Amino acid sequence: MNSSVKTESLDSLLAACDRLAGKYRIFAPTLEDAVTGFRPLDAMTKEQRKAVDAIAFANKPPVTSVKSFFFPDSEIYIKFSREGRAVTQMDLDVCAPQIILGAKSCDVRSVELIDKVFLAGPIDTMYQERRQKTIVIATVCHEMGDNCACQEFGVSPAASAADVLMAKGCRGDIYLTPQTVKGEQLVQELCTVGSFAVCASLPIPVFDGAVEQLVAEQVQARMDKSFDSPVWERLAMTCIGCGTCTYYCPTCHCYDIRDFSRRDQGVRYRTWDSCMFLSFTNMAGGHNPRPTRADRLRNRFFHKLNYFVKKQGELACVGCGRCAELCPVGISISSVLKQIGSDLHES
Amino acid sequence: MRKISEALREVAGRLLRSGEVDLVLGYAWSEQGQGTVPYVAFTAEEAANLCFDTTSRMALSKYLLQDTFLGKRVALVVKGCDYRALKLSLSENRIERKHTYLIGIDCPMMDGSPFCLICQHKCPPAEDVDILLTEADEAGELKASSHQEAFPEIPSIERMSGDERFEYWKRQLNRCKRCYSCRHACPVCTCRQCLFDRDNQDAVDPAKDVLAQHQFYHIIRAFHVADRCVGCGQCAQVCPEGIPLHLLHQKLQLELHKHYGSYRAGLDELPSPLSHAHAHEPDFFGKVGKQ
């Protein structure tokens, strides 16, 4: 394993991918109405295909993370129809094998964190199936983006545990380095349908380590001390209570189970839910254990920076910077870390 | 915006020092360094953090409806569009004017907002605010653009065939994740409980996939605020998916003016045209055949 191959350009890689379209659904980051996100390669316009290069190799992740490929925003458990008194359960669409081309280190790491929740017993079989059927090709970053903080959270911008690492040489040539068995198989398949040559792997950019990594236990301890801090009340005063932070966060993974029926057809499905919404903790009988915005906001940051550390031993943030970029009122992991104490980087 | 910011800090400091208000709600530099974000100053020292510039887009008046602000004496930084939204809440008796100190801003127009190009009410009425701050010597009267110049997308969408238009909105709305940032940022979307937050709702499916009912959410919301929209443009500004929701609202404004005259939310007195009906008004829903 780990022998790299190279092809002359991203176009030639995409052309090889096209030839695998019968076997895989292939997604890559591009633009749609000026917004970055992953789109199926076979449904892209010419312009969208052209845009893949710049966005896949940008030094920041696209707006939407890769989590939806493993944990879709809505996913059906059962689907049924009724005729007279007979109820029939209908077949569900099977998740096709898929390739995610151009994920970022931060997003790859976020999936490993969600694994700790969904793949620990009881195993979430729907997630597991998508995980097994998905091959992730990650690009490397050469610089930190404006809101990026991956290194603080122990993520290397230039290395990840993706199935295949993809790098771009100075002439636009593309280097693929498989890192897993799945990745190795995919690279072999690509070689049979495209023009690739075996080569030494491209040296990945080195980051000088000037950024000091946060120590999970220290952050957790600091959070414990700040539970009753007025900080939460203050942040909640300007929080508008939308779910942007949760839905665009690559490590948020909460969902709600719902039923929907019309006439003689119905589905039971799960759909993303946000702890920033009042309804998230609303209980039968009307009691709500997190009745105020401050309660909900504190809970979200405690989940990321305290509860997850206690349960899983790691911080549930990968420093992708999406909350910093998207929150309409500028509340982010970084701004919270700053507010709960500047002594985190000391010692 | 040096003058406005300096004057703002001075007024806020004075109000907080004298105890005239409990807090000042305005804007401060974002810690991410991307313009300004809403900020609450509780002390005269904190008032020094306040500032105002062409990124101070977020409407603030809606915060006053939150429990954390109700019952407090609040000084509110308010620009023209935000004042119109505030006036709706005042007229609906949701907020008490006597508990509110209004720091009006003669708005210098926000960066890149098409709404500001057509705005004719940048400044809240001087007689309705407690103090009015202006950048005076910088303010050369800018000529307002026409609606078509500011929103060229609207005529081009109108020219599409029905199928094209459907595809256009389907593509845009399919990106929606129902984060509801448009609803929460909208200063006139002020229902105590939103239709879409009801428990066990039967009418609207909360699913988020591409076949979900996002179009119902967005169209219902557009109609609910049709005669309340003050044109602040926040709905589209905060949307993480870049959905041009403001076009829906502006199109409805044009229709509203065509059918109901020139009612302007937050400037003209209530009732608003869609909150009451006259027998002679057109009936778009054609109840022919229904009893």
Side-chain angles (χ1 to χ4, degrees), chain A residues 123-167:
Chain A
I123 289 174
D124 186 309
T125 51
M126 284 151 72
Y127 177 86
Q128 187 184 37
E129 190 189 349
R130 288 180 192 274
R131 194 78 170 90
Q132 284 164 352
K133 286 184 171 171
T134 307
I135 305 172
V136 179
I137 303 177
T139 53
V140 301
C141 289
H142 290 264
E143 282 169 37
M144 301 284 278
D146 285 345
N147 295 307
C148 293
C150 60
Q151 294 183 87
E152 281 180 53
F153 289 90
V155 178
S156 161
S160 66
D163 298 300
V164 180
L165 270 192
M166 171 163 84

Side-chain angles (χ1 to χ4, degrees), chain A residues 33 74 234 238 269 272 332, chain B residues 32 40 63 171 205 208:
Chain A
D33 299 308
S74 297
R234 258 203 105 132
T238 53
Y269 63 95
W272 290 358
S332 68
Chain B
Q32 265 92 36
V40 181
Y63 283 118
R171 187 184 76 227
D205 175 12
K208 290 163 189 75

Side-chain angles (χ1 to χ4, degrees), chain A residues 32-33 35-36 39 63-64 68 73-74 76 146-147 233-234 236-244 247-248 256 258-262 269 271-273 277 279 282-283 293 323-336 338-339, chain B residues 23 25 30-32 34 36-42 46 58 63 66 68-69 72 168 171-172 175-185 197-210 212-213 234 238-243:
Chain A
E32 183 177 289
D33 299 308
V35 184
T36 54
R39 297 280 172 261
V63 170
T64 42
S68 54
D73 45 24
S74 297
I76 294 174
D146 285 345
N147 295 307
E233 198 67 57
R234 258 203 105 132
M237 285 187 94
T238 53
C239 170
I240 61 170
C242 72
T244 304
Y247 289 166
Y248 292 86
D256 188 19
R258 297 279 192 144
D259 292 335
F260 190 71
S261 60
R262 276 288 173 271
Y269 63 95
T271 185
W272 290 358
D273 201 356
F277 296 154
S279 61
N282 222 11
M283 296 181 181
R293 240 173 229 180
C323 49
E325 182 178 332
L326 298 175
C327 174
V329 296
I331 301 172
S332 68
I333 289 272
S334 310
S335 70
V336 166
K338 245 185 233 169
Q339 299 220 10
Chain B
L23 55 93
L25 174 56
S30 148
E31 292 186 41
Q32 265 92 36
Q34 294 156 340
T36 61
V37 291
Y39 179 78
V40 181
F42 289 94
E46 286 173 354
M58 200 77 191
Y63 283 118
Q66 284 292 312
T68 38
F69 289 92
K72 293 202 172 73
Y168 173 84
R171 187 184 76 227
Q172 298 281 1
R175 291 199 301 274
C176 176
K177 291 273 179 279
R178 299 269 195 108
C179 71
Y180 293 127
S181 57
C182 47
R183 179 183 74 180
H184 288 255
D197 284 344
R198 284 190 198 150
D199 291 332
N200 304 318
Q201 46 185 311
D202 192 35
V204 190
D205 175 12
K208 290 163 189 75
D209 59 347
V210 291
Q213 301 179 325
Q234 277 305 290
V238 299
C239 178
E241 298 285 354
I243 304 172

Side-chain angles (χ1 to χ4, degrees), chain B residues 185-232:
Chain B
C186 174
V188 299
C189 219
T190 54
C191 287
R192 281 171 211 275
Q193 191 184 27
C194 176
L195 156 74
F196 295 93
D197 284 344
R198 284 190 198 150
D199 291 332
N200 304 318
Q201 46 185 311
D202 192 35
V204 190
D205 175 12
K208 290 163 189 75
D209 59 347
V210 291
L211 300 174
Q213 301 179 325
H214 307 308
Q215 60 276 48
F216 292 123
Y217 162 62
H218 289 290
I219 290 168
I220 290 171
R221 205 188 86 78
F223 272 87
H224 277 189
V225 298
D227 63 352
R228 301 173 62 78
C229 179
V230 294
C232 71

Side-chain angles (χ1 to χ4, degrees), chain A residues 108-120:
Chain A
V108 174
R109 175 76 184 128
S110 75
V111 180
E112 290 169 34
L113 292 172
I114 300 180
D115 282 352
K116 288 173 182 285
V117 179
F118 285 164
L119 296 184

